[in-house]
Amino acid sequence: MNKISENNRLREKYPTFEVPSSLYNVIHVNRCSSMRELQLLIKHVQECTNFTIDTENEKSNGKLALIQIQSIPQQLPISIILVELAHLPSDNDKYNLIRELFMLIFRPDNKLYSWGDAARELQPAASYDLFMWPILATIINVQLHFPNWYMWARTRCESCSLSIHDEDNDTDNVNTQDICHQPSPYKPGEAWALQKAMVYAAQLFIDKSYTCSHWAAGLTSKNSTLSETRRNTMIHYALYDCFSTTYLVKPIFQQWTFDKLKNTSTTELFTSFEPLPVPTKITPPTQKNRIKNLNVQKLMKIFGCDESDLESVSDDDGDEIYLNQVIGPVNNNELAGEVKQLVAGGEDYELVAGGEDYELADEVNTEEVLATQDVQDINDDQQIESNEPAQYQRKSSYQRRSRSAKMRHNRKHARQQKKHRFDHQIRRKFYHRFKSFMIRRILRLYQIPFVHMKKDQDDVVVGLRNEDIRRQADHDLATTIFHRRSFYYYKNKYQW
Ligand SMILES: [Zn+2]
């Protein structure tokens, strides 16, 4: 069955998921937004720490065109923000307000819920200079957590639980038509479509017929080439992808039964999220999670600045609010641990101590994570040959060996490593003005745990430890990352 007829079949079979329009305000962020609108929006998102996020790509070129962000506030109405990347204002003041908006939404300690890999979807927007990359807020891919919750919830559903036993035994006489919650139509590990998830868990229909649309054509009357009817249907679609994701967050992370979900109002589902624990089994702490353990204020404390210094490290383009928002209680033990880690990182300590640039602090975040990772790697395979400083204090047999034995070991190991260091590689074309240190710095910025890097004619070749890491790096690093445009962006950013 093709997608359209499947969509129609579901539309006929299930009631449509509706959120009363009194519960939300739609705010378009584009060149028609007024300063007043943007200021009010900033005020609103300052009070929120949880958001749902989604994106849409333009049909004609596949490029990221729309970012939808739904706030999950303490009190209704919620705001649903539609950022039209192809129609951003050229006006500096407005652009700065939009930047401020993103800084607030993406600030560390915020949670961003999404259906799918939002970080990957958002990466192309990093070049708009609206937010720092990588994003410091925690991005939680609800899609990954859905299957386990769904399986569990079926065991708690009275009529379903009876039939689960039969399904497990593969008996032929199971009539799944009578079951209120069908067994998963997916293989283990396969990703659930949001539409399917809503149908299976809540017996509600969401329309998916506008997934592929001209999202860059403009959604408000002043900037659009689309008819009003068309625009309204597209907006509706864009909102409901966010709404549906939000709808499933509490049930999944607070382990609700289907009955509880059914008997809970949308109002409750859409407001006042307490910090929800994320099951660690499904998402082990990643580099990105660890990065958040070190925030700006902690850095300030580490380097003996007080709050009045915060302003002096921010640049002049409206980051002050962001920096103030970062402040949270600091635990001294935690801090001591971080100082140790920072010192272990060597050169980075000086970098921040002398630095006046907030961006540098961000960079240290990344470095710190990489340093931790490296210590781990060294312990894993005694690897020394690497681009990273190797001055970590290890209490291993390796250290107690004689100097010549160590050198022998190093040479032998280095030879072996050299032979294999590009076994797992990715290649990116580079603009000739990129120097090696710049490339390394960008690789670290993107948290690519590279073993080695070299230039090969027009290509940067990045060696990685294994195939899994290679695949992840290939995914994380845009193909245009070292192109000319990127060179000028980073040159400007880091004052090279
Ligand atoms: Zn059931």
Side-chain angles (χ1 to χ4, degrees):
M1 200 180 311
N2 71 28
K3 277 184 182 164
I4 296 168
S5 51
E6 168 70 359
N7 196 64
N8 289 337
R9 184 185 71 83
L10 294 173
R11 189 204 310 274
E12 275 161 32
K13 192 164 173 196
Y14 299 99
T16 300
F17 174 43
E18 297 275 7
V19 178
S21 57
S22 58
L23 301 189
Y24 62 86
N25 291 319
V26 182
I27 295 130
H28 293 270
V29 172
N30 57 33
R31 68 170 73 99
C32 308
S33 315
S34 71
M35 295 287 283
R36 178 84 190 126
E37 271 176 316
L38 292 170
Q39 281 155 350
L40 284 174
L41 193 53
I42 284 170
K43 204 163 170 283
H44 174 75
V45 301
Q46 260 174 324
E47 286 158 15
C48 302
T49 53
N50 291 283
F51 299 87
T52 297
I53 191 156
D54 191 33
T55 63
E56 306 299 336
N57 293 344
E58 162 61 32
K59 187 183 184 178
S60 58
N61 58 16
K63 284 194 181 141
L64 177 64
L66 185 73
I67 302 175
Q68 306 107 285
I69 302 166
Q70 181 197 337
S71 67
I72 304 167
Q74 301 286 321
Q75 281 176 343
L76 293 172
I78 60 175
S79 289
I80 178 141
I81 309 162
L82 304 178
V83 184
E84 296 178 64
L85 292 174
H87 302 276
L88 290 173
S90 44
D91 177 310
N92 254 342
D93 292 339
K94 280 191 198 170
Y95 208 90
N96 282 339
L97 284 180
I98 299 171
R99 189 183 281 139
E100 202 173 316
L101 182 71
F102 272 103
M103 290 287 189
L104 285 166
I105 295 170
F106 290 171
R107 66 189 186 247
D109 301 336
N110 276 3
K111 291 217 168 84
L112 307 176
Y113 297 96
S114 69
W115 192 269
D117 187 350
R120 178 185 167 190
E121 292 170 23
L122 285 169
Q123 191 175 354
S127 62
Y128 285 82
D129 195 25
L130 288 170
F131 47 80
M132 287 192 297
W133 190 263
I135 293 165
L136 296 180
T138 307
I139 299 177
I140 299 163
N141 183 352
V142 181
Q143 190 183 36
L144 294 178
H145 300 273
F146 181 83
N148 277 6
W149 169 72
Y150 186 73
M151 241 164 28
W152 169 86
R154 286 189 77 228
T155 65
R156 297 304 176 94
C157 169
E158 224 170 280
S159 50
C160 288
S161 61
L162 296 173
S163 66
I164 289 173
H165 178 72
D166 295 336
E167 285 162 24
D168 288 346
N169 291 327
D170 235 3
T171 30
D172 291 334
N173 57 1
V174 189
N175 186 359
T176 52
Q177 293 308 312
D178 299 334
I179 301 172
C180 45
H181 301 92
Q182 300 286 319
S184 165
Y186 294 101
K187 293 191 201 82
E190 220 181 333
W192 277 72
L194 184 54
Q195 187 185 53
K196 278 249 163 38
M198 286 298 280
V199 160
Y200 277 64
Q203 285 85 46
L204 289 170
F205 169 76
I206 52 166
D207 196 344
K208 274 289 179 182
S209 40
Y210 289 86
T211 313
C212 275
S213 283
H214 292 293
W215 291 105
L219 293 175
T220 51
S221 58
K222 286 179 202 151
N223 64 15
S224 189
T225 51
L226 304 168
S227 73
E228 192 182 350
T229 325
R230 180 76 190 181
R231 277 188 277 116
N232 286 340
T233 344
M234 282 167 67
I235 291 169
H236 185 270
Y237 168 86
L239 305 185
Y240 274 77
D241 258 14
C242 271
F243 290 161
S244 309
T245 304
T246 314
Y247 188 86
L248 294 167
V249 170
K250 275 193 185 179
I252 293 174
F253 295 102
Q254 295 180 342
Q255 225 175 36
W256 289 10
T257 60
F258 293 130
D259 268 349
K260 177 158 182 185
L261 173 59
K262 204 172 169 182
N263 297 324
T264 303
S265 70
T266 313
T267 310
E268 198 191 325
L269 285 164
F270 280 18
T271 47
S272 88
F273 274 42
E274 294 303 316
L276 300 170
V278 176
T280 47
K281 207 173 92 192
I282 305 172
T283 48
T286 61
Q287 289 186 15
K288 275 182 191 143
N289 291 349
R290 268 185 276 149
I291 217 169
K292 283 178 300 301
N293 294 333
L294 191 67
N295 69 27
V296 176
Q297 201 223 5
K298 287 177 186 174
L299 276 172
M300 294 302 150
K301 280 224 167 183
I302 289 166
F303 299 114
C305 320
D306 63 31
E307 275 175 39
S308 60
D309 292 322
L310 278 173
E311 270 194 12
S312 66
V313 295
S314 75
D315 33 295
D316 296 324
D317 58 6
D319 283 357
E320 282 83 356
I321 288 182
Y322 169 69
L323 286 167
N324 291 331
Q325 290 298 324
V326 167
I327 295 165
V330 176
N331 171 320
N332 278 330
N333 291 334
E334 217 180 306
L335 204 60
E338 272 160 2
V339 173
K340 259 186 237 155
Q341 284 184 354
L342 271 175
V343 175
E347 56 187 349
D348 308 328
Y349 183 89
E350 284 170 24
L351 192 68
V352 167
E356 291 179 5
D357 181 358
Y358 174 67
E359 298 288 337
L360 287 177
D362 174 43
E363 178 89 357
V364 170
N365 265 348
T366 313
E367 303 275 354
E368 179 259 333
V369 169
L370 282 172
T372 319
Q373 169 102 16
D374 279 355
V375 173
Q376 184 61 45
D377 289 347
I378 287 169
N379 289 338
D380 282 348
D381 61 11
Q382 298 271 303
Q383 164 150 0
I384 293 299
E385 200 277 335
S386 162
N387 59 84
E388 299 295 339
Q391 69 267 45
Y392 307 107
Q393 297 299 306
R394 290 182 293 120
K395 303 271 181 245
S396 67
S397 59
Y398 176 80
Q399 268 189 337
R400 293 191 294 270
R401 272 187 239 161
S402 76
R403 199 165 161 266
S404 62
K406 272 187 217 171
M407 279 169 69
R408 265 199 312 279
H409 176 91
N410 276 358
R411 275 198 302 271
K412 186 180 160 215
H413 198 71
R415 268 198 309 277
Q416 279 174 351
Q417 286 299 323
K418 210 162 183 167
K419 230 166 50 190
H420 294 291
R421 62 191 178 182
F422 289 110
D423 279 1
H424 306 280
Q425 55 163 258
I426 55 174
R427 283 175 175 266
R428 294 289 182 268
K429 289 262 175 283
F430 77 98
Y431 179 54
H432 68 92
R433 291 188 60 193
F434 264 114
K435 298 218 165 33
S436 294
F437 84 89
M438 300 171 178
I439 293 169
R440 286 202 187 89
R441 185 155 187 189
I442 293 171
L443 290 172
R444 289 190 198 112
L445 183 68
Y446 282 86
Q447 302 176 34
I448 307 298
F450 60 107
V451 176
H452 209 83
M453 187 284 292
K454 68 176 178 191
K455 291 175 175 176
D456 179 14
Q457 297 187 11
D458 294 337
D459 282 351
V460 167
V461 187
V462 181
L464 297 139
R465 209 175 300 286
N466 62 42
E467 188 50 28
D468 279 351
I469 296 175
R470 193 204 68 80
R471 206 176 300 122
Q472 183 64 42
D474 197 19
H475 162 266
D476 289 348
L477 214 56
T479 51
T480 57
I481 186 75
F482 301 120
H483 285 192
R484 186 169 171 276
R485 216 181 136 194
S486 176
F487 174 80
Y488 286 106
Y489 173 79
Y490 285 108
K491 183 179 183 295
N492 180 38
K493 182 168 169 157
Y494 292 122
Q495 305 289 305
W496 283 331

